[in-house]
Amino acid sequence: MNTRVVLVLRGVIGLALVGSVGVQVLLGFQLWLERGEDRADLRIPLVALLVVGVLALQVIGVEIWRLLTMVRHGTVFSFAAFRHVDRVIAAIGAGAVVVLGLAVLAAYANRTTPDDEIAPGAVGIVCGLAMVAGGVALVVYVMRTLLAQAVALDDETKRLQAELDGVI
């Protein structure tokens, strides 16, 4: 893989991680301390969903960073890469659950207020986004399966090469 691409991707991941910590701290505290509307039944779950959602993105960033390190060392086609990919899949799945939680929270807000606070169509769109995020987790799982096949093929190739070297 091109070294420049890896460096640029690491820069993007680093900036995203620093920015996400800022979002967690500043926006989380702002939502938590907001007293304009005394709806703790909405504010507390919203802050929790925000923190967990950003945490899931942080896990994805860290695990991709680790996979990039494995790419640089030429060890990405090994069984050690599976735990990183599994964590990415779990974090994407958690993100899908968080997005669905936002839809549930929006639907709850609509049921507990006299007027719809959030358009019902928007709730449906957020549910669709949750489904798309779940689909991304499935796509990454399929890619993990392809990685497993590549690792097995690489191991078989090395074994056959060692046999061939022994014969010659």
Side-chain angles (χ1 to χ4, degrees), residues 30-68:
Q30 178 65 29
L31 285 171
W32 183 259
L33 297 174
E34 187 177 287
R35 300 287 184 212
E37 181 183 339
D38 194 27
R39 295 284 314 256
D41 61 327
L42 295 176
R43 191 175 60 246
I44 293 170
L46 182 61
V47 170
L49 288 172
L50 172 77
V51 169
V52 171
V54 173
L55 181 64
L57 292 173
Q58 290 169 337
V59 167
I60 292 169
V62 168
E63 294 304 325
I64 290 175
W65 187 288
R66 290 177 178 168
L67 286 169
L68 286 173

Side-chain angles (χ1 to χ4, degrees), residues 56-158:
L57 292 173
Q58 290 169 337
V59 167
I60 292 169
V62 168
E63 294 304 325
I64 290 175
W65 187 288
R66 290 177 178 168
L67 286 169
L68 286 173
T69 300
M70 293 182 81
V71 167
R72 192 179 74 215
H73 293 127
T75 60
V76 75
F77 290 109
S78 66
F79 291 107
F82 291 145
R83 70 174 181 256
H84 302 300
V85 176
D86 289 341
R87 289 178 191 145
V88 169
I89 294 168
I92 294 171
V97 171
V98 165
V99 174
L100 185 60
L102 288 172
V104 169
L105 189 62
Y108 173 77
N110 284 346
R111 297 265 189 247
T112 58
T113 56
D115 296 327
D116 284 345
E117 289 197 8
I118 299 170
V123 174
I125 289 171
V126 174
C127 287
L129 290 173
M131 185 178 70
V132 168
V136 169
L138 291 174
V139 167
V140 175
Y141 178 76
V142 168
M143 293 174 73
R144 181 201 184 278
T145 304
L146 294 173
L147 176 63
Q149 290 176 353
V151 168
L153 184 61
D154 190 49
D155 286 347
E156 179 70 13
T157 303
K158 288 177 184 175

